[in-house]
Amino acid sequence: MSARAIPASVGVWLLAGVLGCGSVPAAPERATATAAAAPAAHEPAAEAEGIDPARRIVFLGDSLTAGLGLPADESYPSLIQRRLEARGGGWTVVNAGVSGDTSAGGVRRLDWSIDGGAAVVVIALGGNDGLRGLPVSELSANLETLITRSLASGARVILAGMEAPPNYGPEYTAGFRRIYPTLAARHGVTLVPFLLDGVAGIDSLNQGDGIHPNREGARRVADTVWKALDPILGEIEAESAR
């Protein structure tokens, strides 16, 4: 399967601090399902009653995915859950976003996050790596591990690109940006070139920190991800109907 990209026009993303406004937690928070019949917070995703792993979508990310600063039902994965409920098909979103997380943190908690199975894994990590100036080679290796292990579990993968701040220089910024399309093409996974396309740098779409989307910004992020997700769900449903 060849990589598929959702077009994006990406401007300069000026970030004031680490996504999530804190260091990576020593013990990652538990993923929580966002369906109407979701389990209580911190309940392991695999133990949620009535969630079919063949209809589960896991969002692995940082504070942008966790919805820092927003009500729980206004994070972009929660907004996508509402679209799925309207669409039908029994799909359930598990929001495995942890504020302050990095690609290495994602690797450490991937197995827990997809325990029991997942039909789709959305990987939306790297922003904190860029803010910390993590070598491009290390970010690439971590993201590749996330992709290959997710694919090996039987899940489809969506890779959401991030941008590095410009203070590390144009060479680092360009190398960082190339990681995402390169890995998507190499492994034949769906690419969202920039998770915050059309949101980053726009004051009216972000909270006061200038980093995290507000409610309207989260809706636009959900729109961007939905364009990549909806066709995949259609393919899975068609295959299961055969």
Side-chain angles (χ1 to χ4, degrees), residues 83-109:
R83 292 190 185 196
L84 292 169
E85 291 167 357
R87 180 183 187 277
W91 294 97
T92 299
V93 163
V94 174
N95 188 341
V98 172
S99 293
D101 208 7
T102 62
S103 60
V107 170
R108 287 192 294 270
R109 61 192 179 88

Side-chain angles (χ1 to χ4, degrees), residues 15-152:
L15 297 181
V18 175
L19 292 175
C21 303
S23 58
V24 180
E29 300 172 6
R30 301 290 181 116
T32 57
T34 61
H42 306 301
E43 181 179 343
E47 296 176 7
E49 291 186 7
I51 297 180
D52 180 0
R55 287 291 188 270
R56 181 161 51 196
I57 306 163
V58 175
F59 285 78
L60 189 69
D62 50 37
S63 60
L64 297 173
T65 297
L68 185 72
L70 295 173
D73 62 353
E74 292 293 336
S75 68
Y76 79 83
S78 294
L79 297 176
I80 287 175
Q81 176 67 64
R82 292 211 288 272
R83 292 190 185 196
L84 292 169
E85 291 167 357
R87 180 183 187 277
W91 294 97
T92 299
V93 163
V94 174
N95 188 341
V98 172
S99 293
D101 208 7
T102 62
S103 60
V107 170
R108 287 192 294 270
R109 61 192 179 88
L110 175 65
D111 290 343
W112 184 91
S113 298
I114 62 174
D115 183 33
V120 181
V121 177
V122 180
I123 300 170
L125 286 164
N128 288 311
D129 301 74
L131 287 165
R132 299 172 185 190
L134 185 78
V136 168
S137 59
E138 291 185 30
L139 173 59
S140 180
N142 289 337
L143 291 175
E144 187 153 39
T145 296
L146 290 170
I147 292 169
T148 56
R149 283 167 52 179
S150 297
L151 291 173

